[in-house]
Amino acid sequence: MSSPRTVYVKTFGCQMNVYDSERMVEALVPSGFIETKEIVDADLIVLNTCHIREKAAEKVYSDLGRIRDIKIERETRGLRTVVTVAGCVAQAEGAEISRRAPVVDLVVGSQSYHRLPGLVERIEAGERRIVETAFPDDDKFAQLPTRAGVRPPSAFLTVQEGCDKFCTFCVVPYTRGVEFSRPVADVVREAQILVENGVRELTLLGQNVNGYHGAGEDGSPWPLARLLNHLDGLRGLERLRYVTSHPGDMSDDLITAHRELESLMPYLHLPVQSGADRMLAAMNRKHSADDYRRIISRVREARPDIAISTDIIVGFPGETDAEFQATLDLVNEIGFAQAYSFKYSQRPGTPAASIECQVPDDIKTARLLQLQNLLERQQRSFNAACIGRVLPVLFERRGRREGHIVGRTPYLQLVHAEATADAVGHILPVTISASTRNSLTGTVQAA
Ligand code: 5AD
Ligand code: SF4
């Protein structure tokens, strides 16, 4: 073990980055690092970045400005700070980052996290500005340490990475690379270790998780439904979720899993992006608005109470008022429990960025506002419909208010309830008494 040092990690973007950040910290522990929540105390700062929209990517540079001041201030106290940019901005921009922000010592792409301890060591030994963004041949998962240590009740587990769909707006196929599914045995081993360490709920992650096709013991590919069936039998694991999916990979057996598997929670995040077929074609989504409607109605047949969530982009190049209206119509028909919506953002290197008829920003803003008002009403009414029901809540942590704990319903709604902290890690029946847009309040039922 080397001398103890501290690492501060800031995570931007999606759940996969949250998972990656955890694994980066775990990879650094054998080199003597412990995590700190105070950036000014950190010997190593890691920004785990997101490149999906311009705003997310630009945020990194404003943070780096502040980090430069921290680094200078620490130098006056005789302390060194290694500044690392990881994640999708690292992958997409590489050496350009340290040219724009010379404070950065190390740029490390998402396929090289297992090399982070060695790279940090090289910087500490005096090397300057290392950029490691190739997609290496070695399997990073196999090189990362196993996931020992007690954990909160809900955990992420990446089973699939990268994407071959090439939606014309999206950087993921370029930043995360081609689709890769982890072998079944690896996933099951990691799930077992997590459960042994206190995890009760697993969310399987992938950019296109329902396209999972990891190799089974005999080398033949397992679809996601088979993996879920297998994990459903894991003793001690109470809840399963998966995110994020593509409509094109919503297979019959996956829909059936929603009917049959008790541990598979009634929640499906299925991005639709637009309700207009001409837009969907220009986005290279390979599905129509009616395909989406049909999938949702089959999923609802299998699991009538399922909460449906989605992603929507407004102002994709060429989107007309009528096409935006088609999106509103689809949202009205489906009725989402929850949704993420965005203004289209031109991303360098993606096909849609060079389409001529870009939609002016003021129109995008107005459309987003209108859409978000509708989605907010739907979310509020989904939550309000839970008032009076008794829902099983997996309690995850203490709340901010004394004597309150926080958990989630099967539909992924946040629940605040009065209870002692020993309820954390347990699934308890809660009578829901009030709701807001983003959460529910309730009372734990006596045993
Ligand atoms: N502009 C706006 N939103 C985007 N997304 C992906 N790329 C872009 C872009 N260029 C959204 C999609 C995707 C979600 C993760 O981010 O809706 O499903
Ligand atoms: Fe991006 Fe998702 Fe399309 Fe893949 S399926 S290109 S990750 S939006």
Side-chain angles (χ1 to χ4, degrees):
M1 272 260 212
S2 328
S3 59
R5 284 158 297 163
T6 50
V7 52
Y8 172 90
V9 184
K10 179 165 175 181
T11 307
F12 300 80
C14 65
Q15 289 144 324
M16 193 171 290
N17 271 9
V18 174
Y19 174 85
D20 286 345
S21 291
E22 279 177 25
R23 300 222 63 176
M24 275 191 267
V25 171
E26 287 165 19
L28 288 161
V29 167
S31 311
F33 280 96
I34 48 171
E35 196 175 6
T36 173
K37 298 287 172 202
E38 297 297 333
I39 191 166
V40 290
D41 295 339
D43 304 302
L44 169 63
I45 296 174
V46 180
L47 299 184
N48 191 10
T49 61
C50 171
H51 200 244
I52 199 102
R53 282 169 293 277
E54 193 180 352
K55 245 194 205 156
E58 283 307 310
K59 181 90 183 38
V60 174
Y61 288 100
S62 62
D63 275 27
L64 286 171
R66 258 179 292 127
I67 287 170
R68 197 182 66 116
D69 297 341
I70 292 171
K71 188 167 177 167
I72 292 169
E73 188 278 325
R74 281 174 53 89
E75 263 164 28
T76 64
R77 290 190 278 144
L79 299 169
R80 276 194 67 185
T81 317
V82 177
V83 179
T84 299
V85 174
C88 294
V89 176
Q91 198 65 54
E93 296 185 8
E96 178 60 25
I97 298 174
S98 34
R99 271 196 289 276
R100 242 184 102 176
V103 67
V104 174
D105 301 293
L106 177 59
V107 175
V108 55
S110 44
Q111 299 311 316
S112 307
Y113 293 155
H114 55 299
R115 302 198 174 157
L116 189 57
L119 295 167
V120 171
E121 216 166 277
R122 279 165 53 191
I123 297 284
E124 286 175 335
E127 232 177 291
R128 299 220 47 215
R129 300 215 184 138
I130 303 177
V131 177
E132 178 95 6
T133 53
F135 288 108
D137 297 333
D138 39 0
D139 173 3
K140 76 170 169 194
F141 291 107
Q143 318 270 332
L144 287 164
T146 52
R147 317 215 55 205
V150 175
R151 287 172 188 278
S154 184
F156 295 133
L157 200 179
T158 293
V159 301
Q160 181 275 330
E161 236 184 300
C163 183
D164 294 341
K165 298 272 192 249
F166 290 94
C167 299
T168 55
F169 51 79
C170 185
V171 290
V172 167
Y174 313 98
T175 55
R176 287 276 174 173
V178 293
E179 204 282 322
F180 165 79
S181 293
R182 293 177 69 187
V184 171
D186 280 14
V187 171
V188 173
R189 197 174 316 117
E190 188 169 330
Q192 259 157 352
I193 294 171
L194 289 169
V195 171
E196 282 161 17
N197 285 292
V199 169
R200 311 287 302 277
E201 173 179 273
L202 272 181
T203 302
L204 308 185
L205 300 181
Q207 266 88 28
N208 192 2
V209 73
N210 62 339
Y212 176 82
H213 57 264
E217 296 281 75
D218 64 355
S220 65
W222 280 34
L224 183 66
R226 187 165 175 200
L227 181 65
L228 289 167
N229 267 277
H230 187 81
L231 292 174
D232 180 63
L234 198 67
R235 189 191 289 269
L237 184 61
E238 307 275 353
R239 290 180 166 191
L240 276 168
R241 305 177 184 278
Y242 60 94
V243 74
T244 182
S245 296
H246 189 283
D249 291 315
M250 224 41 233
S251 63
D252 292 345
D253 53 354
L254 186 54
I255 294 176
T256 305
H258 277 283
R259 185 197 312 274
E260 291 180 349
L261 299 185
E262 209 187 312
S263 65
L264 185 57
M265 290 293 99
Y267 178 91
L268 174 65
H269 181 72
L270 193 63
V272 64
Q273 313 297 1
S274 169
D277 287 342
R278 195 182 70 97
M279 288 294 99
L280 290 169
M283 290 173 171
N284 191 32
R285 289 290 292 173
K286 304 186 187 86
H287 64 82
S288 66
D290 278 347
D291 291 335
Y292 189 87
R293 290 181 178 92
R294 273 191 291 272
I295 293 165
I296 297 300
S297 76
R298 287 176 47 226
V299 170
R300 282 181 164 153
E301 238 169 72
R303 183 74 209 230
D305 64 334
I306 196 162
I308 306 290
S309 159
T310 200
D311 291 341
I312 297 172
I313 295 176
V314 302
F316 185 81
E319 186 188 63
T320 62
D321 285 340
E323 283 162 339
F324 172 61
Q325 185 58 48
T327 297
L328 295 176
D329 293 345
L330 180 123
V331 170
N332 268 314
E333 277 170 56
I334 303 283
F336 291 101
Q338 206 246 325
Y340 302 92
S341 49
F342 315 99
K343 288 197 267 188
Y344 168 70
S345 168
Q346 260 174 298
R347 305 308 292 128
T350 59
S354 50
I355 301 177
E356 300 235 320
C357 43
Q358 298 290 326
V359 174
D361 191 60
D362 56 338
I363 296 183
K364 287 193 225 177
T365 304
R367 287 180 185 168
L368 186 65
L369 191 69
Q370 203 183 342
L371 174 64
Q372 288 186 338
N373 281 336
L374 172 59
L375 291 168
E376 180 182 336
R377 282 201 302 279
Q378 294 192 339
Q379 189 170 340
R380 280 184 188 280
S381 74
F382 184 85
N383 288 346
C386 294
I387 294 175
R389 288 182 66 187
V390 178
L391 296 175
V393 174
L394 171 58
F395 284 104
E396 293 179 8
R397 58 183 164 84
R398 289 165 191 256
R400 281 206 200 96
R401 288 210 352 235
E402 189 60 34
H404 274 232
I405 55 171
V406 180
R408 291 197 183 262
T409 69
Y411 312 110
L412 206 62
Q413 298 141 302
L414 213 57
V415 179
H416 301 269
E418 270 179 48
T420 49
D422 56 7
V424 170
H426 296 276
I427 297 174
L428 301 173
V430 174
T431 307
I432 305 302
S433 54
S435 72
T436 66
R437 176 196 182 164
N438 291 317
S439 67
L440 306 176
T441 310
T443 313
V444 178
Q445 297 296 99

